Amino acid sequence: MTNTESYFIPEPSRWPIISASSVFVLLFGFILMINDVSVGSMILTAGFLMIGYIFFGWFGAVIDENLRGSYGPNVSTSFRQGMFWFITSEVFFFLTFFACLYYFRGIAIPSLSGEGHQPMSNILWDGFQDVWPLVTLPGDTNVVSGTTYTPPKEAMGAGGIPLWNTIILLSSGGTLTWAHWGLKKESKNQLVLGLMMTVALGLIFFGFQAYEYFHAYTAMDLKLTSGIYGSTFYMLTGFHGLHVTIGTIMLIVITIRSMKDHFTEENHFAFEAVAWYWHFVDVVWIGLYFFVYWL
Amino acid sequence: MSEATAHDDHHDHKPTGIGRWLFSTNHKDIGTMYLIFALVMLFLGGASAMVLRMELFMPGIQIVDPDTYNNLLTNHALIMVFGMVMPAGAGMANWMIPMMIGAPDMALPRLNNLSFWLLPMAGTMLILSMVISYFPGTGTPVNTGWTLYPPLSVQSGMGMDFLIFTVHILGISSILAAINIVTTIVNMRAPGMTWFKMPLFVWSWLFTGLLLIMIMPVLAGGVTMLLFDRHFGTSFFDAAGGGDPVLFQHLFWFFGHPEVYVLLLPSIGVLGLIIPTFSRKPLFAYKPLVWFMAALTALGMVVWAHHQYTVGMSLDATTYFMIGTILISIPVGMMLMSFIFTMWRGAMTFETPMLFGIAIILMFSFAGVTGVMLAVVPADLQYHDSYFVVAHFHYALIPGSVFGLYAAVFYWLPKWTGNMYNETQGQIFFWWTTLSFNLTFFPQHFSGLAGMPRRIVDYSPQFADFNYLSSVGGMLFGLSHLLFLYIIIKTIKGGEKAPANPWEGSQIGTTGLEWTLPSPPPFHSFNTPPAIK
Ligand code: HEM
Ligand SMILES: [Cu+2]
C-alpha cells in the first residue's frame, strides 16, 4: 500500500559526516606535508586510516542492507544512474588533461617557436624549435617557483611495455565480460575465475607501469621536472594509474563477494558498477596509448 | 487504510537531538542545513565586502594594506559564489524537488548528507587559507582574485595550497550533490509526473546538475596542475618549460562561464514559479522555455574565452567566441520574454516575491545589455578589467541569482516554517535592498567606462565621487540584510499560521504538488505517490 517499501530511505547514518571529516584531515595533512611541516605526514596517515575505516564501515553497511533485501528496483536504478553520472564526471576530468596535451602541442609550443598566429613570441627564446616530444626546452628554470628543469635524455617509445600494457588491459576487459557471462549463466566458477584473471591482469599492468616509471626516472631522466613532456606524461599516466589501482581494489572486493555468493542474476549492482569503472579505465588507456605514447 | 496510516506514522517519526542533524538522511533537514550555511556565508562574504567598500570610500589607503585587500577580495568572491549562492540553491533543490515531483526523499539520502558536510570542511579550509598567512614563513596571502591565475598563484604563499584544496572539497561536494539531484529528478518522479509536467524549478536544476557534472572536474584538473607547478616541479603554466599560463585561464573559464549559469539557472527556475503565481496565469511558453534552458546550457559550455579577449588569442578564436557569446543572449532574452508575456494581462498582485521577480527581470536585462557590450571584442578591449565589468557581473549575479534566492525565500518561507512572514517588512526589505543595490553598482558603470581598473586597493582621485556613492550604497545594502535576518528569524519563531497553500495562484498551470502538503510538510514528503492531474 505504501510506497516506502520500494523507495527505501536509509536510517540516519554517521558515515557521511565521518567521511567529510576524514577528507578534511587527509587534505590538511597533505598540505602540511608538502610545505615541510613535520606533523603533516602523521596527519595524512591518520586521514588515510580514517578513509579506509569508512570504506569498510560504509560499504559494509550498504552490503548488509542489500543482503537483507532492503533494496527494491527503485534503489538499484538510483545506484546505477548515480554511478553513470559519476563516471561522466570522471570522463570530464580526463578530457581536461587530454585537452591540455592538445593545447600544448597544437598551440602553446608552436607559438613559442615562432609559428602560429603570434610569431613574434619567438623573441623570448630565439631559435627554439617545436619538436614533439619536447626534449629541448625553451628555458631552464621556472623563475616563479624556482624549479630547475631537467630535460629528458629521450622520449618514451610506443613499443615494448606500453604495447604490452595495452594488450593486458584490453584482455582484462575481455576476462571481465567473460565473468559477467558467468554471472548471467549462474556459473560461479566462471564468475570467480574471470574476476581473478581480471585482478591478475590489473596487477601485472600495475607492475609494468611501476617498472616503466622507475626506468624513466633513472635511465631516461624523464621526470616531473622535465618540462612539459614529462609533466603531461606523468599527469596523464599517473591519474590513469591511480584509477587502475582503485579499480583493482574494487575488483578484489567483488571477487571476494562473488566467492561469498553475494551476487545473483538480478541483484549485482556492485559488480556492474565495478565493471563499468574498469571499462572506463580501459578506454582512457586506449586514448593514452594513442596520444601520449604513439602520436 | 489504518494499517497504512500506522506505517506512515512510523516513517514520520523524527530522530531527536543533535544526531538528527549530524547524521541526517532527510531531504528537508539537509536542505535546512544548506540554507543556514548559506546564510552564515552571506554574512561572512558581506562583511568582507563591507571592508572593501570602506577602503574604497576615499582615494588613498586607509584601512587595509594592499595584500589584505586582495585577500579579502578573493575570499569575498569565493565565499559568495561557492559558499552562499551554490549552497542556497542546493538547499532549495533539496527542500523542494522531492515535494515537487512527488517523491518521499532524495534518491541517495546518505550521499546527500555527505555533500552537505563537505561544505563546512571547505569553509574551514578557506578560513585557514586566510589566517595561515599571519604565521611567519608562510609567504604572501592569497591575492589572485577568485580566478587564481598563474603565475601569481604559483608565487603566493601557503594559503594558496589551502585554497586549492578548498576548491577540491567544494568540487567533490558539488559533483555529489549534482549526481544526487539529477538521479532524483530522473528516477524518483511519481507515476504520471512526466517530463513536461515538471515545474520549471525542477528543470532548471536538471540542467544545473548536468553543468556541474561537466565543469567541476575541469576546475579540479586545473587547480591540480597548479598544485603540481607549485610543489612538484611541473611546467604546465610556465613557458620556460614549454607550458603556458594562458592555459589555466582556458581551464578556469571553461568552468567559470558555465558556472555563472549554475548560479543563474535555479533562480530562473524560481521565477518560472513566482511570475505565474502572482500573475494568476499559466507560465507562457513553458515548453519552449525548457528548450531555451537547454540551449543556454549547451551554448554556455562553448563560449568561455570571452573572458580572455585581451590575452592574445588568434583572430579566428576571438571571432568565434564573440559570435557564440552574442548568440547566448538569444535564449536568455527569450526566457525573460516568456516571463513578461506571462504577466501580460494577468491579474497581478505585488507581494514581496513578485516585487523581486519584476525587479529581477528589469535589472537582469540590464546585465544582459552590458554583457553584449562586453562580448564585442573591440569594445571589450576597452572595458576589460575595469569597473564596468564589476558592474556587469554584479547586475548579473545579484538580481540574476541572489534576488532570485530572496524571492524564493519569501515565497517558500510559509511552506518551510508553517508561518507567514510579515508582508510590510518584506516589502521594506525589497525596496531597501533594490534601491541600495542600484546606488552601489550603477555608478560603477561610469567609473569603469572612465577607466577605473578593478581589483586595486587605491584609485585616482578623479573617480572619487562615483566611489563615494558606491560605498554609501554598499553600506546601506549590507545593512538591509540585518532586516532580512530579522524577518527570517521572526518567521521561524512564529507569526500568522500559513495554510497549505498560502498563494492564490500557485497551482495555476502546474501540478503544484508541494502546495498539497500541509505547511510545514511532514518529515517524509510523499509516502504514497500522489495523484497527478
Ligand atoms: C547575455 C548574457 C551575458 C553576456 C553576453 C556576458 C558577457 C560577459 C563578458 C564578455 C564578460 C568578460 C568581460 C571582461 O572581463 O572583459 C563577462 C564577465 C562576467 N560575467 Fe557576464 N555575460 C552574460 C551574462 C552573465 C550572467 C548571467 C552572469 C552570472 C549570473 C554573468 C557573470 C559574469 C561574471 C561573474 C563576470 C566576471 C568574471 C571575472 O572576471 O571575475 N554574466 N560577461
Ligand atoms: Cu562568461
Side-chain angles (χ1 to χ4, degrees):
Chain A
M1 190 141 204
T2 55
N3 209 17
T4 31
E5 261 81 42
S6 65
Y7 273 158
F8 179 74
I9 295 156
E11 290 299 305
S13 161
R14 63 203 152 96
W15 297 114
I17 189 168
I18 304 180
S19 310
S21 333
S22 44
V23 168
F24 182 87
V25 173
L26 182 86
L27 297 179
F28 184 70
F30 186 69
I31 295 171
L32 294 187
M33 192 183 79
I34 58 180
N35 283 290
D36 303 319
V37 180
S38 52
V39 287
S41 45
M42 274 157 64
I43 301 179
L44 180 71
T45 317
F48 268 120
L49 292 177
M50 283 169 80
I51 298 262
Y53 167 65
I54 288 154
F55 276 123
F56 276 101
W58 193 342
F59 286 129
V62 172
I63 292 169
D64 281 347
E65 282 166 10
N66 187 7
L67 294 180
R68 269 190 270 119
S70 318
Y71 295 165
N74 175 281
V75 176
S76 80
T77 312
S78 288
F79 281 178
R80 279 179 174 72
Q81 290 184 0
M83 190 66 193
F84 171 81
W85 292 115
F86 174 68
I87 292 181
T88 310
S89 79
E90 290 263 51
V91 167
F92 275 84
F93 186 68
F94 275 99
L95 276 181
T96 308
F97 295 120
F98 279 110
C100 292
L101 183 65
Y102 164 79
Y103 182 89
F104 294 127
R105 293 179 58 174
I107 298 175
I109 300 174
S111 159
L112 282 172
S113 75
E115 295 157 31
H117 66 279
Q118 270 186 330
M120 74 278 216
S121 39
N122 200 14
I123 51 177
L124 270 177
W125 289 284
D126 195 24
F128 167 69
Q129 296 280 324
D130 168 16
V131 187
W132 189 266
L134 193 72
V135 286
T136 320
L137 302 181
D140 46 24
T141 33
N142 182 337
V143 288
V144 179
S145 70
T147 307
T148 312
Y149 294 127
T150 51
K153 288 200 195 111
E154 52 180 323
M156 206 41 102
I161 291 183
L163 186 59
W164 277 112
N165 265 351
T166 311
I167 296 168
I168 289 168
L169 219 48
L170 285 181
S171 343
S172 78
T175 53
L176 188 57
T177 307
W178 188 67
H180 200 174
W181 290 343
L183 180 59
K184 281 196 192 138
K185 281 195 308 201
E186 297 186 354
S187 148
K188 184 176 167 188
N189 282 344
Q190 185 176 335
L191 169 65
V192 174
L193 189 65
L195 281 173
M196 282 178 160
M197 290 196 299
T198 317
V199 171
L201 289 169
L203 290 174
I204 298 174
F205 176 93
F206 185 82
F208 273 170
Q209 184 85 3
Y211 173 77
E212 184 191 67
Y213 274 17
F214 178 73
H215 179 74
Y217 250 81
T218 50
M220 295 163 66
D221 263 355
L222 178 60
K223 302 177 178 162
L224 275 174
T225 51
S226 298
I228 203 61
Y229 177 64
S231 305
T232 49
F233 175 80
Y234 284 110
M235 201 56 140
L236 276 155
T237 57
F239 270 113
H240 177 261
L242 184 68
H243 282 73
V244 171
T245 315
I246 297 171
T248 311
I249 295 173
M250 299 199 304
L251 279 169
I252 294 174
V253 173
I254 60 163
T255 313
I256 298 171
R257 289 190 61 195
S258 304
M259 292 194 227
K260 289 189 181 167
D261 292 319
H262 279 192
F263 300 123
T264 61
E265 202 200 320
E266 315 73 65
N267 182 354
H268 56 269
F269 161 72
F271 182 95
E272 253 175 51
V274 176
W276 290 349
Y277 193 81
W278 194 254
H279 288 310
F280 156 71
V281 170
D282 229 2
V283 172
V284 172
W285 176 262
I286 294 172
L288 283 182
Y289 187 67
F290 273 101
F291 294 112
V292 176
Y293 289 97
W294 196 357
L295 295 179
Chain B
M1 191 61 217
S2 67
E3 229 184 270
T5 334
H7 204 110
D8 284 356
D9 282 355
H10 166 73
H11 275 274
D12 218 51
H13 156 82
K14 283 184 198 151
T16 46
I18 184 83
R20 169 178 174 190
W21 303 99
L22 296 186
F23 310 139
S24 177
T25 47
N26 179 278
H27 73 103
K28 299 195 190 73
D29 285 353
I30 297 175
T32 305
M33 291 196 289
Y34 263 115
L35 289 171
I36 293 173
F37 182 81
L39 197 61
V40 172
M41 288 293 145
L42 174 67
F43 280 89
L44 260 184
S48 47
M50 292 302 102
V51 179
L52 301 179
R53 249 358 296 176
M54 274 189 302
E55 173 56 54
L56 295 173
F57 189 70
M58 286 189 292
I61 298 179
Q62 288 93 22
I63 305 174
V64 287
D65 61 274
D67 261 344
T68 313
Y69 179 90
N70 286 347
N71 184 241
L72 284 174
L73 176 84
T74 310
N75 286 298
H76 162 68
L78 289 168
I79 290 174
M80 286 303 196
V81 169
F82 290 104
M84 200 281 274
V85 178
M86 288 172 73
M92 289 179 187
N94 253 298
W95 251 100
M96 302 314 291
I97 289 177
M99 295 207 278
M100 287 177 167
I101 62 175
D105 208 295
M106 298 288 278
L108 305 161
R110 279 176 290 213
L111 196 69
N112 199 12
N113 199 26
L114 175 59
S115 316
F116 170 74
W117 280 108
L118 284 168
L119 285 179
M121 306 298 157
T124 315
M125 272 270 165
L126 185 70
I127 291 168
L128 282 175
S129 89
M130 273 179 89
V131 296
I132 197 77
S133 65
Y134 293 101
F135 288 86
T138 51
T140 51
V142 175
N143 48 10
T144 56
W146 79 300
T147 49
L148 311 177
Y149 283 177
L152 189 54
S153 54
V154 175
Q155 223 165 357
S156 0
M158 197 168 153
M160 184 53 79
D161 295 325
F162 282 95
L163 199 56
I164 287 173
F165 284 106
T166 306
V167 170
H168 274 305
I169 303 178
L170 290 167
I172 303 172
S173 161
S174 304
I175 290 175
L176 296 182
I179 289 175
N180 204 350
I181 290 171
V182 172
T183 306
T184 304
I185 296 173
V186 177
N187 192 37
M188 301 291 276
R189 280 171 294 133
M193 174 56 75
T194 51
W195 288 104
F196 284 104
K197 276 193 184 149
M198 296 195 317
L200 198 70
F201 181 71
V202 181
W203 273 112
S204 71
W205 254 106
L206 182 65
F207 292 122
T208 306
L210 294 178
L211 278 175
L212 283 171
I213 291 170
M214 294 188 286
I215 63 174
M216 291 315 289
V218 179
L219 179 65
V223 296
T224 305
M225 292 190 230
L226 207 54
L227 185 80
F228 271 69
D229 268 18
R230 287 169 57 82
H231 288 283
F232 305 115
T234 54
S235 59
F236 293 112
F237 307 127
D238 177 33
D244 187 354
V246 175
L247 175 66
F248 184 84
Q249 305 188 4
H250 283 290
L251 295 176
F252 184 87
W253 288 113
F254 185 87
F255 147 81
H257 186 76
E259 171 72 11
V260 304
Y261 297 113
V262 167
L263 305 175
L264 171 77
L265 279 175
S267 292
I268 292 283
V270 169
L271 277 191
L273 306 177
I274 288 178
I275 303 281
T277 298
F278 295 98
S279 309
R280 293 168 183 75
K281 267 180 67 193
L283 184 58
F284 180 83
Y286 161 78
K287 260 193 198 177
L289 197 51
V290 171
W291 291 116
F292 285 128
M293 271 195 185
L296 186 74
T297 308
L299 266 179
M301 293 290 295
V302 293
V303 298
W304 70 91
H306 60 225
H307 295 269
Q308 305 154 237
Y309 286 149
T310 57
V311 298
M313 289 184 296
S314 70
L315 188 61
D316 292 347
T318 33
T319 313
Y320 159 76
F321 283 110
M322 171 168 90
I323 294 171
T325 307
I326 296 174
L327 280 180
I328 286 220
S329 47
I330 297 173
V332 177
M334 293 316 258
M335 295 202 284
L336 295 177
M337 286 308 277
S338 108
F339 294 144
I340 294 171
F341 280 119
T342 307
M343 291 191 279
W344 177 253
R345 294 198 168 155
M348 296 210 283
T349 49
F350 301 94
E351 284 86 349
T352 313
M354 184 61 164
L355 288 175
F356 271 112
I358 294 170
I360 291 168
I361 294 174
L362 286 171
M363 298 189 293
F364 181 67
S365 308
F366 194 76
V369 174
T370 52
V372 176
M373 290 170 72
L374 290 165
V376 179
V377 180
D380 183 70
L381 297 185
Q382 300 297 315
Y383 309 146
H384 179 65
D385 250 343
S386 77
Y387 260 74
F388 190 77
V389 178
V390 178
H392 157 72
F393 69 72
H394 281 94
Y395 266 84
L397 286 171
I398 295 183
S401 38
V402 180
F403 282 3
L405 298 172
Y406 292 173
V409 166
F410 286 102
Y411 190 55
W412 285 327
L413 258 184
K415 172 70 30 188
W416 294 340
T417 63
N419 303 320
M420 290 304 281
Y421 64 90
N422 179 316
E423 187 59 45
T424 322
Q425 287 168 2
Q427 299 203 4
I428 295 175
F429 172 66
F430 166 76
W431 287 108
W432 188 353
T433 38
T434 310
L435 294 177
S436 57
F437 161 77
N438 281 289
L439 180 59
T440 313
F441 293 103
F442 201 71
Q444 298 183 358
H445 291 102
F446 302 112
S447 48
L449 287 177
M452 177 172 163
R454 65 188 275 214
R455 287 178 171 160
I456 295 180
V457 60
D458 192 8
Y459 52 86
S460 146
Q462 59 175 315
F463 305 119
D465 292 348
F466 289 128
N467 277 285
Y468 173 75
L469 288 177
S470 275
S471 285
V472 172
M475 295 300 137
L476 290 174
F477 187 59
L479 278 181
S480 72
H481 288 77
L482 296 179
L483 177 58
F484 185 51
L485 188 65
Y486 172 76
I487 296 174
I488 292 176
I489 293 177
K490 208 171 135 261
T491 314
I492 293 174
K493 283 204 163 151
E496 194 195 319
K497 288 277 158 278
N501 180 7
W503 309 117
E504 193 184 70
S506 62
Q507 278 170 308
I508 296 179
T510 158
T511 46
L513 288 178
E514 67 276 27
W515 304 111
T516 62
L517 292 170
S519 305
F523 198 55
H524 286 297
S525 302
F526 288 100
N527 284 328
T528 20
I532 304 212
K533 282 185 286 185

